[in-house]
Amino acid sequence: YIQKIKINNSNQYKIPEKDFNNIQGFGEISGPVGSGKTTIGEAVIFGLFGSINGKNNSDLISWGEKHSLIELWCTSKGRNLYIKRELNSYGQSPLCVEVDGEE
């Protein structure tokens, strides 16, 4: 269960923070073309897996920026997870994971 996502300098959109805690069951992300729906989906995939099939990691950084940051707060099997991935212009993505507050 994804509780919250924070996206900084990913693709061309800046979505500071999206909180999903008030959504019960399945949720829908909708909006006009160019509103950032794909950015949210790609940020979740990148946060969990560290890459997106068919894309170079460096392509995920907003144009003109040198790094990007994705933070995910999730719950899985009763445990609280915090995942932080940073991207630099070389496509490297250091990973930080905390489970129930411990690294």
Side-chain angles (χ1 to χ4, degrees):
Y1 174 73
I2 298 171
Q3 297 171 328
K4 182 169 59 170
I5 186 167
K6 190 172 185 181
I7 304 168
N8 192 0
N9 295 334
S10 182
N11 291 331
Q12 57 188 333
Y13 303 98
K14 292 185 181 177
I15 303 167
E17 190 171 291
K18 183 66 180 161
D19 191 333
F20 298 103
N21 279 311
N22 295 328
I23 299 173
Q24 299 296 320
F26 287 101
E28 176 182 314
I29 298 173
S30 61
V33 171
S35 63
K37 301 177 302 290
T38 300
T39 298
I40 292 171
E42 287 181 344
V44 170
I45 292 168
F46 177 74
L48 293 173
F49 303 106
S51 65
I52 297 174
N53 201 14
K55 288 199 170 196
N56 292 323
N57 281 354
S58 59
D59 293 340
L60 300 174
I61 301 172
S62 297
W63 182 260
E65 300 292 338
K66 296 191 186 301
H67 73 281
S68 177
L69 174 67
I70 306 295
E71 294 175 276
L72 287 172
W73 289 263
C74 310
T75 302
S76 179
K77 298 180 182 179
R79 314 238 10 216
N80 292 316
L81 305 172
Y82 166 72
I83 301 167
K84 176 178 160 184
R85 286 199 189 260
E86 295 182 70
L87 264 173
N88 63 28
S89 57
Y90 300 107
Q92 298 169 331
S93 60
L95 169 65
C96 171
V97 176
E98 291 180 7
V99 178
D100 293 331
E102 297 203 20
E103 214 172 292

